[in-house]
Amino acid sequence: MSEPTLTPAMAAYTRNARPHLHGDELAAVEEALASGQFGHGPITEQFERDLADFLHVPETVAVASGTAALHITLLACGIGPGDDVVVPSFTFCATVRAIEACGANIRFADIDPTTLCTGSAQIREALTDKTRAVLPVLYGGRPVPLGDLEDELAERNITIVEDAAHAFGSYQGPARVGATGRATCFSFGPIKNLTCGQGGALVPRTHEEADQARRIRLLGIAESAARRQNTTTYRVTGPGLRAHLSQINAAIGRAQLPHFPTVQTQRRALWHTYARHLNELPEAIRLVDVDIDHAVPSLCAILVDNRDRIFKTLREQGIGAGVHYPPNHLQEAFAAWHRPLPATEHAAARVITLPFHHAMTERDVHVVTTVLKEALR
Ligand SMILES: Cc1ncc(COP(=O)(O)O)c(C=O)c1O
């Protein structure tokens, strides 16, 4: 079925996810273009302050992508060659690439089979004498509290860097993810809870870490762009990437942010609707619990036997099913870091993510789950 012939309702669920615009973005981009400053600039810095206000944190650092946020945070925390970094294999390969880009060793951890997140038991099992950082991934938007392990990691001088690419807006306890004292990284890619088109941000733990991250995102140049205008030279110090957030992308994020309360309500309601409909299906399907009272969900993941057959049937029926994620410890590029991870392998062979985006209605969910029911026969 080719896309142009789809009805609007069908179009809502033939993709696993799609960008959502609230209507203010075009004018915001026009303003950014008219400013004549397309790179890092005042709109980017205002977006950083807007994010900080939203999260109730002192400052944030906007960057070009979620991958860059992870890479820059690890570098700003001093992670490099010889260090081990613990990361779940069950994540997008971007998380692993960020560690690799720092020259650190990748130490894959298994997941909790009910949450598909790496919890304290799995992290503890993966720690080594050389571990300098752990990267919990907030799969589907689920917060990852680590209990007593958090103090133990602090005593051992091991930094927690949260991959919250899926979890913008989620809560851990009373605070939003990002405001819990951990270094936190967000993605604002096209289909995330908040989008800049492409972009990301990190929440540093200290002002020094923020300064360091700002230098790294602009090639390691010590002076800010504003200060460089009145000098005939600049100093290049420490590590550096080309990873600032453009004014154009920041303008999209700024236009989206005031609408976030609606996004939060819609995404939680959609998840509840799926939960209700899936509850009526055979027990062979298990909805992955995202801790909906705290999460602003970005995925609706289920576990099923005969996954490949069911996935194929869904796609053939025009349902935009996805697989998040093929595990990284089985990828050729990361073969050097392979270790057996039974819960990850079990989940990765069964997971399907269902279409999940703002435009979906109760009727769309009904269609998806009806096709799923047929596929199970
Ligand atoms: C879990 C996870 N981590 C990191 C990233 C990387 O974010 P970006 O695509 O903005 O670089 C993604 C992107 O989808 C992701 O899903």
Side-chain angles (χ1 to χ4, degrees), residues 54-104:
F54 174 82
L55 296 170
H56 297 295
V57 296
E59 56 191 322
T60 68
V61 179
V63 294
S65 67
T67 313
L70 291 163
H71 187 183
I72 291 171
T73 304
L74 289 169
L75 289 173
C77 293
I79 305 303
D83 297 334
D84 284 0
V85 178
V86 172
V87 64
S89 165
F90 196 69
T91 180
F92 189 40
C93 57
T95 322
V96 184
R97 285 292 193 202
I99 303 168
E100 188 190 41
C102 297

Side-chain angles (χ1 to χ4, degrees), residues 65-67 70 91-92 94-95 137 163 165-166 187 189 192 198-199 325:
S65 67
T67 313
L70 291 163
T91 180
F92 189 40
T95 322
V137 174
D163 181 343
H166 296 177
S187 163
K192 296 299 192 286
Q198 194 73 64
Y325 291 96

